[in-house]
Amino acid sequence: MADHGTPPPHKPDPQYRQQDHIIFAALALPIFAVTFVIIALIVTLGQH
């Protein structure tokens, strides 16, 4: 069973790269928000 109908994906499609950027942004934004909250907590606790 050799599937010679579909060519091997050498270079990614622009749509795939855009989707990859969306996934990266969706991962990076919560991480940034959590880090910001942790820093704010440390600063607030340090003031007491």
Side-chain angles (χ1 to χ4, degrees), residues 5-44:
T6 56
H10 280 298
K11 49 187 176 181
D13 297 331
Q15 189 177 5
Y16 174 75
R17 289 184 66 92
Q18 187 180 6
Q19 192 177 10
D20 211 39
H21 283 300
I22 291 173
I23 292 172
F24 177 74
L27 284 177
L29 284 175
I31 290 173
F32 177 74
V34 167
T35 321
F36 183 76
V37 166
I38 289 174
I39 291 173
L41 274 175
I42 289 173
V43 169
T44 342

